[in-house]
Amino acid sequence: MQFGFFDDAAREYVITTPDTPMPWLNYLGNSAFFSLLSHRAGGYCFHTDARLRRLTRFRYNDIPADSNGRYLFVNDGGDVWSPSFAPVGATLDSYECRHGLGYTRITGTRGGVEVATLFLVPLDDPAELHQVTVTNHSDAVKELTLFSYLEFCLWDALDDQTNYQRNLSLAEVEVEGSTIYHTTEYRERRNHLAFYSVNCPIAGFDTDRDTFVGRWRPLAQAEVPHSGAPRNSLVSGWYPIGSHAITLRLEPGESRDLVFILGYAENPPEAKFVAPGVVRKDPARALLARYQTVAQVDAAMAALRGYWDSLLDGFQLRSADPLLDRSVNTWNPYQCMTTFNLSRSASGFETGIGRGMGFRDSNQDLLGIVWMLPERSRQRILDLAATQFPDGSAYHQYQPLTKRGNHALGSGFNDDPLWLIVGVCHYLKETGDWSILDEQVPFDNDPALAKPLLDHLIASYQYVVTNLGPHGLPLIGRADWNDCLNLNCFSDLPGESFQTTANRGDGRVAESVFIAGLFCYALPDLIAVLRNRPAGAGTDELALAAELEQALAAMTAAVDVAGWDGGWFRRAWDAFGEPVGSAANAEGQLYIEPQGMCVMAGLGVSDGRARRALDAVEARLASEHGIALLAPAYTSYHLELGEISSYPPGYKENGGIFCHNNPWVIIAETIAGSPERAFDYYRRITPAYREAISEVHGQEPYVYSQMIAGPEAPRHGQAKNSWLTGTAAWAYHAVTSWLLGVRPGLDGLVICPRMPSSAGDYEVTRRYRGATYHIRVIGSGTSAAGRLTVDGQPVDGEVVPVAAPGEVIEVVWSALRSPKSSVSQE
């Protein structure tokens, strides 16, 4: 069952009913101002930091699930309704929501009146625009009153939900003409304010929620819009809102346009007020002046479309599969942008309160974004490296507003340092910007501890090799990639954090085979970087490269001995020296993570163990909805394993289909010579291929979810935690770099297709280091080797040399011979 359809020409997903299984969201925003917006106009917005600069309130875990947003109430002669269906819930004669790239348009019709609202955040301003078009399609004159509505958050979203003894006495506003200024806390430490305005005279306003809604009424039955008249209420403490009352008289066939602006402004601390108690409004007025007409909003919309067209033109696929094309060309990179902007901090499942930017998360997100945003990726790398400690470990998260590490969570997640190597090496392959290695970057944000970025990468390596366990494998610390596998924490206190409780003993026994695989995956690139710096590798760098090679060989040997279980790669060794992810275990015998990562690193490929491990995955973990994280799932709580066994079987890390690591197996299958199986796995988790089962999947059919309920769950196939997931970047990397086989390398663009023969021929347009490459792939899947020509001339190997910026290069790859298992290095 479907609840809408893809409009590929418009790059939109069209939702045709408000009754979707879950709120289906879109993200609006640029690099500083962001909005979450559901298909029923629910959600919230913030500037830079979802916790510390929250403009509007949202209620998670409410009934209904999508509670609070930017709403319109229409009073048509006493008939009150909302064009987004919510909050009133009156039946609509027609409904449509179009989620596009950075904008959403929601249209509802009732009683001959159509109200269409375009929501967008302009590229260069901290504001959300709502262009409302009201049309009278009836044969009679319509006398309408529109009531806008949103609820202001008192900035710090955590404090807003917890500190009522203070907050219920704080709220302040100023109203000037058609603009409501939200000035709570401005009189003291803050120098920022929010404002909500409309570009026409108003019949009145309300800023006090209790007055607008009425005593003991739900928002759907709010007193002011049902009475048809505003109260001009001025909030004094309690709950601040913004509502404009606008009267319209429309002849049959007549339309009227309105522009609402929800914005954010800052003043210099020394110039906050123009008079005692009167907020300086100059920055707000300047912003408002830029969006007073439909033409100005149209220009902002055109700029937004142009921006996305320019970004996405950097990688465009033309194949025989429209679902593949829409995923690669539009929706997957669009989601990559969102995960890059927000990491895992603010979604329909993450409140934006408890998490900041993740160190491992943000480094992995670079895999899906550097080709689109090299400059911003460069800055993100420097921000991340600055949260490292001198020993190479790192804060697990940092707040985007302060760019400082979150002390409450701290460090000790021992895979974190290696992801910096992965992220930086990918950036170098994509951009050729070797200068980044010489950038002075502080450790722990302390300028006195600044070192070149290259030193940070070496510190990452050294942290791993100086923290090895009894088997010569990396110590796991609080957790590795799987935050729920907590082999040192032993929590038996209800409500205690599984990750941050004190470790049992000294924490120097429990080891991670996954981190070992990640080490073997990351180090070859770092060795290549050390040996191939354009200025020439010095003696120290060559010696260091040799040291890294020895460490790589030692780690490979350790995995061979202690990481191999006989039919697959083990997951770990626990604090008692017992294997995890082994046939010797009663439950949790096989884990997905080391099978994907170790084979991606080339481990076991030459001797057939990689094939055996991947066949075990296919036999024991794969399902019609994707590959489960482990099997069999744990049926009771294991103190020595931690959070992973706290979930019911089939959910999250306990046997759920954790989509993030499915692409590792997809990549591994291309390396091991099984493109048909790799592409089959890709289709099982990719949203566009799951659209037809939306009633089962539940989440948006245009973006990946973190998790799909696994085979042992009662609701196998139901997705959760959509949008903000590392699945986006890894799925994009898997399909573009490994299946389609067009990926960046240090010396040029690598062309190594691994699509199944059923996919047929295809074409890729790829922007790379300022040049444009038109790539034709002929016969992928019929051969693992191909003939490569560049501008009609044959080229040995798989690498297309780097062209000068502005050049257009014609590339053809054509199959040569029958496929066989091989490893193609980036």
Side-chain angles (χ1 to χ4, degrees):
M1 180 180 176
Q2 295 179 205
F3 300 87
F5 60 91
F6 285 96
D7 184 341
D8 292 326
R11 288 176 166 163
E12 296 175 338
Y13 191 82
V14 185
I15 302 168
T16 54
T17 172
D19 190 25
T20 56
M22 293 286 290
W24 284 4
L25 298 180
N26 196 8
Y27 280 81
L28 322 180
N30 48 39
S31 61
F33 192 95
F34 301 100
S35 300
L36 287 73
L37 183 70
S38 80
H39 70 295
R40 294 165 30 140
Y44 62 90
C45 62
F46 58 93
H47 188 272
T48 306
D49 193 305
R51 171 178 169 176
L52 300 177
R53 291 291 185 273
R54 185 81 64 95
L55 271 71
T56 59
R57 274 198 186 116
F58 187 74
R59 293 177 180 82
Y60 289 83
N61 295 327
D62 208 349
I63 302 175
D66 188 22
S67 206
N68 241 11
R70 301 72 136 179
Y71 296 135
L72 278 176
F73 295 79
V74 180
N75 188 316
D76 178 7
D79 180 27
V80 179
W81 56 283
S82 295
S84 57
F85 184 74
V88 175
T91 301
L92 299 175
D93 298 331
S94 66
Y95 165 89
E96 180 183 84
C97 171
R98 288 181 168 263
H99 283 323
L101 305 183
Y103 68 90
T104 289
R105 190 186 304 272
I106 301 175
T107 304
T109 302
R110 181 178 166 97
V113 176
E114 177 186 276
V115 181
T117 304
L118 171 66
F119 300 85
L120 73 127
V121 171
L123 289 176
D124 300 315
D125 277 319
E128 184 180 284
L129 310 181
H130 312 155
Q131 180 178 308
V132 178
T133 302
V134 185
T135 304
N136 180 9
H137 290 293
S138 75
D139 296 329
V141 173
K142 288 286 186 178
E143 301 277 356
L144 308 172
T145 305
L146 270 59
F147 297 87
S148 64
Y149 178 86
L150 56 81
E151 187 173 2
F152 290 114
C153 178
L154 304 187
W155 298 110
D156 183 331
L158 177 60
D159 190 73
D160 183 69
Q161 295 184 28
T162 56
N163 192 9
Y164 297 113
Q165 63 84 24
R166 169 176 164 83
N167 293 340
L168 295 185
S169 299
L170 279 179
E172 292 184 303
V173 297
E174 291 185 36
V175 180
E176 183 181 87
S178 298
T179 304
I180 298 166
Y181 293 92
H182 171 46
T183 60
T184 300
E185 287 194 323
Y186 191 86
R187 66 172 58 215
E188 36 126 332
R189 293 161 294 178
R190 297 189 183 278
N191 67 325
H192 45 271
L193 62 148
F195 51 92
Y196 187 35
S197 183
V198 65
N199 69 335
C200 68
I202 57 176
F205 62 87
D206 280 286
T207 67
D208 178 72
R209 192 186 76 186
D210 289 344
T211 301
F212 182 87
V213 177
R215 188 175 295 121
W216 309 121
R217 286 173 173 256
L219 185 58
Q221 299 172 17
E223 188 170 292
V224 163
H226 278 81
S227 71
R231 304 292 173 81
N232 296 334
S233 59
L234 287 171
V235 73
S236 178
W238 299 102
Y239 303 103
I241 66 165
S243 175
H244 308 88
I246 301 161
T247 57
L248 298 176
R249 185 180 190 279
L250 297 179
E251 299 290 333
E254 185 181 1
S255 291
R256 189 76 56 83
D257 289 302
L258 306 169
V259 179
F260 293 87
I261 307 102
L262 170 62
Y264 171 93
E266 293 183 0
N267 285 310
E270 69 278 5
K272 289 172 56 173
F273 298 98
V274 294
V278 180
V279 173
R280 183 177 297 278
K281 304 177 182 66
D282 296 354
R285 289 169 182 153
L287 194 157
L288 289 170
R290 294 195 283 275
Y291 302 106
Q292 288 299 301
T293 67
V294 171
Q296 289 172 314
V297 177
D298 288 346
M301 182 65 177
L304 185 64
R305 286 187 184 276
Y307 174 75
W308 276 104
D309 288 346
S310 176
L311 288 180
L312 297 182
D313 283 350
F315 196 112
Q316 286 291 294
L317 168 68
R318 292 167 296 282
S319 76
D321 184 347
L323 279 67
L324 178 63
D325 287 2
R326 71 168 57 120
S327 299
V328 170
N329 295 340
T330 302
W331 294 100
N332 195 173
Y334 181 53
Q335 186 179 4
C336 285
M337 172 72 91
T338 303
T339 59
F340 172 78
N341 282 333
L342 301 176
S343 189
R344 311 295 176 267
S345 64
S347 71
F349 300 86
E350 291 287 355
T351 65
I353 292 173
R355 298 182 66 175
M357 308 295 289
F359 189 90
R360 85 158 68 98
D361 296 332
S362 295
N363 274 297
Q364 291 176 88
D365 290 342
L366 292 168
L367 296 175
I369 204 70
V370 176
W371 67 278
M372 278 198 286
L373 294 174
E375 295 84 5
R376 286 186 61 198
S377 298
R378 189 182 202 273
Q379 186 58 53
R380 177 62 53 79
I381 287 169
L382 300 178
D383 290 344
L384 287 165
T387 66
Q388 249 187 324
F389 294 103
D391 69 353
S393 63
Y395 283 106
H396 197 49
Q397 296 171 7
Y398 73 93
Q399 285 303 127
L401 185 67
T402 63
K403 297 187 179 179
R404 299 278 177 164
N406 288 350
H407 287 276
L409 191 58
S411 63
F413 297 79
N414 284 356
D415 65 312
D416 276 348
L418 290 171
W419 291 116
L420 182 65
I421 297 175
V422 172
V424 172
C425 289
H426 185 76
Y427 172 83
L428 289 171
K429 292 175 186 179
E430 183 66 47
T431 65
D433 173 25
W434 293 84
S435 69
I436 193 173
L437 297 177
D438 298 316
E439 283 282 348
Q440 293 288 316
V441 184
F443 285 100
D444 196 15
N445 290 109
D446 183 349
L449 300 177
K451 296 280 188 179
L453 178 64
L454 181 59
D455 286 31
H456 286 256
L457 303 185
I458 303 308
S460 294
Y461 148 74
Q462 290 172 337
Y463 181 82
V464 177
V465 296
T466 56
N467 287 280
L468 300 178
H471 298 92
L473 298 170
L475 295 172
I476 197 171
R478 297 189 187 279
D480 57 17
W481 172 88
N482 189 333
D483 282 328
C484 296
L485 184 62
N486 315 121
L487 302 183
N488 289 307
C489 296
F490 295 87
S491 176
D492 57 7
L493 181 66
E496 184 178 44
S497 168
F498 289 98
Q499 287 82 40
T500 61
T501 184
N503 286 349
R504 177 70 60 92
D506 61 6
R508 301 198 68 83
V509 175
E511 300 164 289
S512 169
V513 177
F514 168 78
I515 297 180
L518 177 58
F519 184 87
C520 295
Y521 174 76
L523 239 60
D525 280 339
L526 183 54
I527 292 168
V529 166
L530 289 170
R531 287 188 166 150
N532 291 280
R533 293 184 74 182
T539 302
D540 290 345
E541 289 175 346
L542 291 175
L544 186 55
E547 177 189 325
L548 265 61
E549 282 194 328
Q550 291 178 353
L552 178 60
M555 191 69 74
T556 300
V559 174
D560 287 346
V561 174
W564 181 252
D565 198 60
W568 53 79
F569 294 98
R570 295 183 178 117
R571 180 61 178 83
W573 291 85
D574 70 17
F576 302 99
E578 298 296 328
V580 178
S582 166
N585 303 130
E587 297 174 331
Q589 295 176 340
L590 175 62
Y591 280 70
I592 187 176
E593 304 107 297
Q595 320 316 318
M597 188 57 67
C598 288
V599 178
M600 284 168 60
L603 302 179
V605 173
S606 61
D607 60 15
R609 286 179 301 147
R611 182 73 274 151
R612 292 176 64 190
L614 293 175
D615 286 347
V617 168
E618 196 278 334
R620 303 190 58 171
L621 300 181
S623 76
E624 63 182 308
H625 298 294
I627 307 168
L629 189 140
L630 62 81
Y634 297 106
T635 57
S636 61
Y637 178 54
H638 290 256
L639 187 70
E640 76 281 6
L641 300 180
E643 186 174 354
I644 193 168
S645 59
S646 71
Y647 293 102
Y651 289 104
K652 288 278 284 178
E653 286 82 355
N654 188 20
I657 297 162
F658 217 88
C659 299
H660 184 141
N661 45 43
N662 274 229
W664 300 346
V665 174
I666 293 168
I667 295 170
E669 288 287 4
T670 69
I671 290 172
S674 298
E676 298 284 348
R677 186 184 285 178
F679 190 63
D680 182 33
Y681 287 156
Y682 172 76
R683 287 183 297 190
R684 295 187 200 189
I685 64 164
T686 295
Y689 293 92
R690 297 177 60 80
E691 184 193 16
I693 57 166
S694 288
E695 80 285 359
V696 175
H697 184 76
Q699 294 296 152
E700 298 93 334
Y702 42 91
V703 291
Y704 288 95
S705 293
Q706 176 206 71
M707 194 274 292
I708 297 172
E712 299 179 67
R715 296 181 179 177
H716 180 35
Q718 183 185 62
K720 286 188 175 72
N721 297 19
S722 62
W723 276 101
L724 298 187
T725 164
T727 311
W730 273 109
Y732 188 78
H733 185 58
V735 69
T736 58
S737 292
W738 292 93
L739 283 165
L740 297 173
V742 181
R743 61 181 176 269
L746 289 177
D747 300 321
L749 199 59
V750 179
I751 310 297
C752 184
R754 292 293 183 269
M755 286 292 285
S757 56
S758 59
D761 301 342
Y762 56 90
E763 297 180 8
V764 169
T765 297
R766 174 68 150 89
R767 191 166 54 232
Y768 178 62
R769 300 193 192 179
T772 299
Y773 297 78
H774 294 153
I775 303 158
R776 291 179 57 209
V777 173
I778 302 170
S780 177
T782 63
S783 172
R787 178 183 294 110
L788 189 64
T789 65
V790 178
D791 286 338
Q793 300 300 311
V795 173
D796 292 335
E798 301 171 342
V799 180
V800 179
V802 177
E807 288 193 14
V808 178
I809 310 299
E810 300 294 332
V811 180
V812 178
W813 184 98
S814 53
L816 272 182
R817 54 183 172 79
S818 299
K820 65 178 181 180
S821 297
S822 63
V823 180
S824 176
Q825 298 295 331
E826 287 189 73

